[in-house]
């Protein structure tokens, strides 16, 4: 017989798994089947999570960034349904992904609540967390915005640019405040995306994003990074320095 706590925790696990699967499903549908496997498989070994995995700490790190080209995209073999979805619908998806991100971020930041769950018998060797949901959701949202911004004819271009700059700024501010290696490592795939996409921009796009976007990227020099991330950051900074900002 299951106790009341077991039933409650099982329900919680199911909700967490479903939320994460929905986030990854959006990424899969929008960018194609290759998108998640090309990047996330290196950060999180299993993309098909069991109930125990949903709240377990991630392991490993991103080894490959997204493919760079004149137009930013995630999957090489399967480009997904991005080109068939209107800008309004895509921005609606961005809003939903950010709601999921903020929910996970709030939970991960509530150490007292996580400690209570753990002490109450929540299974696991460490406190429960929603790091995968926190990082996968914001990464998917940024991926949509970067892709929209790279298309010159897209509707609501100003809205896309404003939202992109805001989320990048918030993401970098949040990353710089993280104080555990586990949490920082989980955010590596988000940094890879930001740096890869920024590196793929031409001078006109960097100028359009403005000096404040470049300064946000520059703030990453304050933190310790793996060699691959440092190399990507260096390339972006070199491009920003060469741009004649007014």
């Amino acid at each position: 017989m299951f106790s009341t706590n077991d039933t409650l925790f099982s329900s919680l696990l199911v909700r967490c798994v479903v939320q994460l699967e929905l986030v990854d499903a959006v990424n899969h549908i929008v960018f194609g089947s290759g998108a998640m496997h090309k990047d996330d498989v290196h950060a999180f070994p299993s993309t098909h999570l069991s109930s125990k995995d949903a709240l377990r700490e991630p392991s490993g790190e991103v080894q490959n960034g997204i493919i760079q080209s004149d137009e930013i995209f995630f999957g090489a073999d399967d480009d997904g349904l991005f080109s068939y979805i209107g800008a309004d619908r895509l921005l609606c998806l961005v809003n939903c992904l950010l709601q999921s991100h903020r929910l996970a971020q709030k939970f991960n930041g509530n150490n007292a609540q996580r400690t209570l769950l753990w002490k109450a018998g929540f299974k696991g060797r460490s406190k429960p967390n929603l790091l995968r949901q926190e990082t996968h959701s914001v990464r998917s949202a940024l991926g949509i915005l970067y892709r929209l911004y790279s298309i010159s004819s897209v509707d609501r271009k100003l809205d896309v640019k404003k939202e992109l700059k805001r989320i990048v700024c918030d993401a970098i501010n949040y990353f710089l405040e993280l104080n555990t290696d586990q949490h920082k490592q989980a955010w590596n795939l988000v940094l890879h995306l930001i740096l890869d996409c920024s590196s793929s921009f031409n001078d006109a796009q960097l100028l359009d994003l403005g000096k404040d976007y470049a300064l946000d990227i520059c703030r990453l020099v304050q933190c310790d990074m793996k060699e691959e991330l440092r190399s990507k950051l260096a390339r972006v900074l070199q491009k920003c320095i060469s741009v004649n900002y007014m």
Side-chain angles (χ1 to χ4, degrees), residues 15 18 25 71 99 119 123 130 140 156 170 198 229 240:
R15 291 171 185 267
V18 170
E71 184 173 298
Q99 289 183 42
K119 289 183 176 180
K123 297 178 180 179
L130 294 174
S140 294
R156 299 179 61 180
D170 289 347
S198 299
L229 275 172
C240 290

Side-chain angles (χ1 to χ4, degrees), residues 52-71:
K52 293 181 180 179
D53 289 328
L55 294 174
R56 185 181 298 165
E57 65 186 68
S59 60
E61 62 178 287
V62 178
Q63 297 296 326
N64 296 303
I66 62 170
I67 299 172
Q68 297 184 40
S69 67
D70 293 335
E71 184 173 298

Side-chain angles (χ1 to χ4, degrees), residues 110-164:
N110 192 335
N111 188 59
Q113 183 183 52
R114 293 168 56 216
T115 300
L116 284 174
L117 282 171
W118 190 38
K119 289 183 176 180
F122 196 92
K123 297 178 180 179
R125 292 176 296 175
S126 60
K127 298 176 187 178
N129 65 67
L130 294 174
L131 292 183
R132 285 184 173 86
Q133 181 178 325
E134 178 182 298
T135 54
H136 284 210
S137 53
V138 72
R139 180 185 180 277
S140 294
L142 279 170
I144 292 173
L145 291 171
Y146 272 120
R147 177 78 180 267
L148 281 172
Y149 183 75
S150 71
I151 302 173
S152 58
S153 60
V154 71
D155 295 333
R156 299 179 61 180
K157 187 67 174 283
L158 290 178
D159 291 337
V160 171
K161 181 173 75 170
K162 181 180 179 181
E163 188 72 350
L164 174 61

Side-chain angles (χ1 to χ4, degrees), residues 60-108:
E61 62 178 287
V62 178
Q63 297 296 326
N64 296 303
I66 62 170
I67 299 172
Q68 297 184 40
S69 67
D70 293 335
E71 184 173 298
I72 299 165
F73 63 97
F74 284 8
D77 301 323
D78 181 359
D79 205 22
L81 298 179
F82 181 92
S83 59
Y84 300 97
I85 307 175
D88 287 340
R89 300 282 187 181
L90 288 169
L91 289 174
C92 181
L93 285 176
V94 168
N95 182 56
C96 293
L97 288 165
L98 291 177
Q99 289 183 42
S100 178
H101 166 69
R102 286 189 288 267
L103 175 66
Q105 196 175 58
K106 183 178 180 180
F107 177 80
N108 291 333

Side-chain angles (χ1 to χ4, degrees), residues 6 11 37 44-45 50 53 60 65-66 123 129-130 132 154 159 161 164 193 197 218 221 223 240 242 245:
D6 287 337
S11 175
H37 295 290
F44 306 118
S50 67
D53 289 328
I66 62 170
K123 297 178 180 179
N129 65 67
L130 294 174
R132 285 184 173 86
V154 71
D159 291 337
K161 181 173 75 170
L164 174 61
L193 175 67
C197 291
C218 288
V221 301
C223 59
C240 290
S242 67
Y245 289 108

Side-chain angles (χ1 to χ4, degrees), residues 13-32:
L13 282 171
V14 169
R15 291 171 185 267
C16 293
V17 170
V18 170
Q19 182 78 208
L20 179 58
E21 291 291 346
L22 283 172
V23 169
D24 287 341
V26 169
N27 194 57
H28 180 100
I29 292 169
V30 173
F31 295 113

